[in-house]
């Protein structure tokens, strides 16, 4: 089984992944809704920008985050002035990197499920006296919920596997930013740590597998036109 | 006048235009498939915006491009029974019926009239075509409509069910006294139900 230090790494990974997913969820849903439902000039560009983290080398994403969140950077300076905090070399920074990298996957899954909601049901609701807000809360959201949750779980899985952007942005600090992939990378550099690599890799694969299975089950519910609640 | 509709709308390659003034009772829009009868209902319900013209129902102006009037669908109080039932799949029959209702006062009477009391706790996907159609009619009636729009309400039903639904529509026409605009391509239906028939 895992040592106490290794459990600590797993716990940190789950914390980073969980916070990243929870923070990005509303942003991803809003983007997915806009891309699925609103027509506006520049939509293609927004779509492309959202997908950038999927195709840009992660090291570039990490470097851009470093520029933005450095004390002299636009976001880093703002956080320092107003809240007196910095995310550099902190687990919060790892969560930011993981969230950015997970965003495109989450938006994709959510957008598909919003597009799958039958607009004819929404127009029926309108004729029954429901305004756009009520239609959203009583139809659009509940009917797309399985896909939204599937996207969230997928984003969580992506978050706990994040490596390149994280190590570039917040470095590899044991106990603070050293999530599973970073710990595996460190162990690979050490002679005689093969057993650690095996255990952490097994943990990594196990967590990813569970997340993918949950996500797939939820997606099937979307395809069968079912609902979660 | 119950319905005053004078609209034009370009849909793809085709032009839909209609000039209709109808009094009390049930007005049938009769004509072959694919000439835009459903589009007329959608324009009256506010789901499709006419290019030009005006629509007034029971003395209330719902659309007038000259005056810039375009009442939102949720404020038109249209009881619209679509060609397909459009029941909400994640809500049981009772919740579907009450979706547009202010309270449960009318539920018992409507349910009895349509004979759907035994279906209240069922999920929509377990209903037969005729059952779903009756629930859709009940849902429209319970939303306190000012008028009814019926799109081929008897299509794709077997003979027995057609009789039932037709009786229900006649009862609504005679008891509720609501102006009704109904679309059909079936001459028998038009003959039996219509107070007047408008060929399109």
């Amino acid at each position: 089984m895992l040592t106490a230090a290794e459990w600590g790494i797993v716990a940190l990974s789950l914390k980073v992944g969980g916070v990243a997913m929870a923070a990005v969820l509303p942003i991803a849903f809003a983007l997915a809704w806009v891309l699925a439902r609103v027509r506006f000039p520049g939509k293609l560009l927004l779509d492309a920008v959202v997908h950038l983290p999927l195709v840009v080398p992660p090291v570039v994403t990490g470097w851009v985050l470093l520029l933005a969140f450095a004390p002299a950077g636009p976001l880093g300076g703002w956080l320092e002035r107003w809240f007196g905090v910095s995310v550099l070399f902190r687990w919060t920074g790892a969560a930011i990197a993981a969230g950015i990298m997970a965003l495109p996957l989450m938006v994709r899954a959510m957008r598909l499920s919003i597009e799958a909601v039958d607009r004819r049901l929404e127009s029926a609701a309108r004729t029954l006296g429901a305004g756009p807000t009520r239609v959203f809360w009583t139809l659009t959201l509940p009917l797309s919920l399985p896909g939204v949750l599937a996207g969230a779980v997928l984003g969580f899985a992506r978050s706990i596997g994040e490596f390149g952007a994280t190590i570039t942005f917040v470095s590899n600090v044991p106990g603070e930013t050293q999530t599973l992939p970073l710990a595996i990378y460190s162990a690979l550099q050490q002679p005689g740590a093969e057993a650690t690599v095996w255990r952490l890799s097994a943990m990594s694969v196990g967590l990813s597998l569970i997340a993918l299975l949950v996500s797939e089950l939820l997606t099937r519910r979307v395809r069968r036109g079912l609902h979660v609640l | 006048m119950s319905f005053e509709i004078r609209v034009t709308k370009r849909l793809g390659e085709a032009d839909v235009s209609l000039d209709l003034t109808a009094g009390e009772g049930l007005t049938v829009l009769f004509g072959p498939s694919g000439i835009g009868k459903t589009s007329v209902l959608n324009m009256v319900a506010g789901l499709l915006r006419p290019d030009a013209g005006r629509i007034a129902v029971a003395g209330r102006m719902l659309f007038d491009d000259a005056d810039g009037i375009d009442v939102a669908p949720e404020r038109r109080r249209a009881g619209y029974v679509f060609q397909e039932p459009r029941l909400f799949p994640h809500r049981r029959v009772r919740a579907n019926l009450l979706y547009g209702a202010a309270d449960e006062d009318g539920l018992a009477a409507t349910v009895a009239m349509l004979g759907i009391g035994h279906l209240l706790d069922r999920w929509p996907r377990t209903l037969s075509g005729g059952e779903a159609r009756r629930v859709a009619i009940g849902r429209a009636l319970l939303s306190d409509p000012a008028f009814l729009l019926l799109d081929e309400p008897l299509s794709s039903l077997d003979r027995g069910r057609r009789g039932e639904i037709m009786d229900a529509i006649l009862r609504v026409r005679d008891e509720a006294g609501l102006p009704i605009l109904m679309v059909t391509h079936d001459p028998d239906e038009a003959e039996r139900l219509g107070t007047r028939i408008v060929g399109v």
Side-chain angles (χ1 to χ4, degrees):
Chain A
M1 279 306 285
L2 302 187
T3 64
E6 287 163 359
W7 278 117
I9 291 164
V10 172
L12 176 68
S13 297
L14 294 176
K15 178 168 82 169
V16 166
V19 168
M21 189 253 281
V24 170
L25 184 62
I27 300 167
F29 185 81
L31 284 167
W33 188 86
V34 166
L35 289 171
R37 287 294 175 84
V38 188
R39 279 196 207 168
F40 58 95
K43 180 170 171 171
L44 207 60
L45 185 66
L46 177 67
D47 200 9
V49 170
V50 166
H51 282 88
L52 269 183
L54 207 58
V55 287
V56 163
V59 61
V60 174
T61 305
W63 176 67
V64 171
L65 286 173
L66 193 55
L67 292 179
F69 284 95
L75 292 171
W78 179 78
L79 282 176
E80 188 82 55
R81 262 199 313 285
W82 289 95
F83 302 101
V85 295
S86 168
V87 297
L88 296 183
F89 309 109
R90 301 296 314 276
W91 72 269
T92 43
I96 290 172
I100 297 276
M101 296 302 288
L103 182 73
L105 282 178
M106 291 171 77
V107 171
R108 279 177 89 86
M110 292 177 189
R111 178 182 180 171
L112 285 177
S113 71
I114 293 169
E115 282 171 348
V117 173
D118 190 343
R119 302 297 294 270
R120 295 174 309 169
L121 297 178
E122 298 183 339
S123 50
R126 294 291 297 275
T127 67
L128 290 165
T133 314
R134 181 164 178 230
V135 170
F136 175 82
W137 288 108
T138 58
L139 288 173
T140 320
L141 187 60
L143 289 173
S144 62
L145 197 58
V148 170
L149 295 179
V153 176
L154 202 61
F156 173 73
R158 178 68 187 80
S159 293
I160 56 175
E162 216 302 301
F163 178 77
T166 307
I167 201 165
T168 312
F169 178 32
V170 290
S171 185
N172 189 351
V173 184
E176 189 65 40
T177 69
Q178 193 178 67
T179 54
L180 272 168
L182 277 67
I184 294 168
Y185 176 75
S186 296
L188 280 169
Q189 316 289 308
Q190 274 172 40
E194 284 82 6
T196 307
V197 172
W198 272 102
R199 287 197 297 272
L200 292 179
S201 297
M203 207 62 202
S204 205
V205 170
L207 285 175
S208 307
L209 197 60
I210 292 169
L212 283 174
L213 287 175
V214 170
S215 176
E216 186 55 32
L217 285 174
L218 288 165
T219 310
R220 283 193 188 180
R221 292 185 78 103
V222 180
R223 275 197 224 110
R224 280 174 23 214
L226 295 179
H227 45 90
V228 174
L229 302 178
Chain B
M1 286 293 113
S2 288
F3 291 97
E4 292 175 67
I5 304 169
R6 199 176 66 240
V7 288
T8 56
K9 172 79 183 171
R10 182 146 192 94
L11 289 170
E13 294 296 296
D15 275 314
V16 177
S17 75
L18 180 74
D19 191 344
L20 167 143
T21 310
E24 305 272 284
L26 192 152
T27 306
V28 173
L29 280 183
F30 173 72
S33 305
I35 57 163
K37 300 191 298 296
T38 297
S39 299
V40 171
L41 292 192
N42 284 338
M43 286 188 265
V44 176
L47 299 176
L48 185 66
R49 194 189 151 88
D51 295 333
R54 46 187 278 160
I55 298 169
V57 181
R60 181 170 171 230
M61 189 60 69
L62 298 178
F63 179 85
D64 188 347
D65 69 321
D67 288 346
I69 296 172
D70 187 6
V71 178
E74 62 269 24
R75 298 188 204 289
R76 293 194 179 198
R77 293 180 58 209
Y80 194 164
V81 180
F82 298 88
Q83 211 173 120
E84 58 303 342
R86 300 199 190 185
L87 299 181
F88 305 138
H90 59 308
R91 293 178 168 232
R92 289 178 197 267
V93 168
R94 166 189 287 273
N96 264 282
L97 287 168
L98 291 171
Y99 186 87
D103 50 49
E104 295 194 18
D105 288 355
L107 184 64
T110 305
V111 161
M113 182 185 75
L114 295 166
I116 50 177
H118 59 297
L119 304 174
L120 289 181
D121 291 325
R122 298 259 295 269
W123 292 104
R125 67 174 174 278
T126 68
L127 302 180
S128 72
E131 289 168 341
R133 187 69 54 93
R134 279 182 289 163
V135 173
I137 293 173
R139 185 175 68 173
L141 288 174
L142 282 165
S143 68
D144 187 27
F147 58 96
L148 287 182
L149 303 171
L150 308 177
D151 193 357
E152 303 272 8
L154 304 178
S155 66
S156 69
L157 294 178
D158 58 52
R159 192 180 296 272
R161 291 297 165 200
R162 289 170 75 95
E164 269 175 44
I165 305 274
M166 212 181 271
D167 289 343
I169 292 171
L170 288 171
R171 236 171 292 156
V172 171
R173 183 188 76 183
D174 299 333
E175 288 172 22
L178 294 175
I180 304 176
L181 187 61
M182 180 176 123
V183 155
T184 183
H185 65 271
D186 178 349
D188 292 341
E189 249 175 59
E191 196 65 43
R192 165 127 188 246
L193 293 171
T195 313
R196 81 193 58 71
I197 298 169
V198 180
V200 185

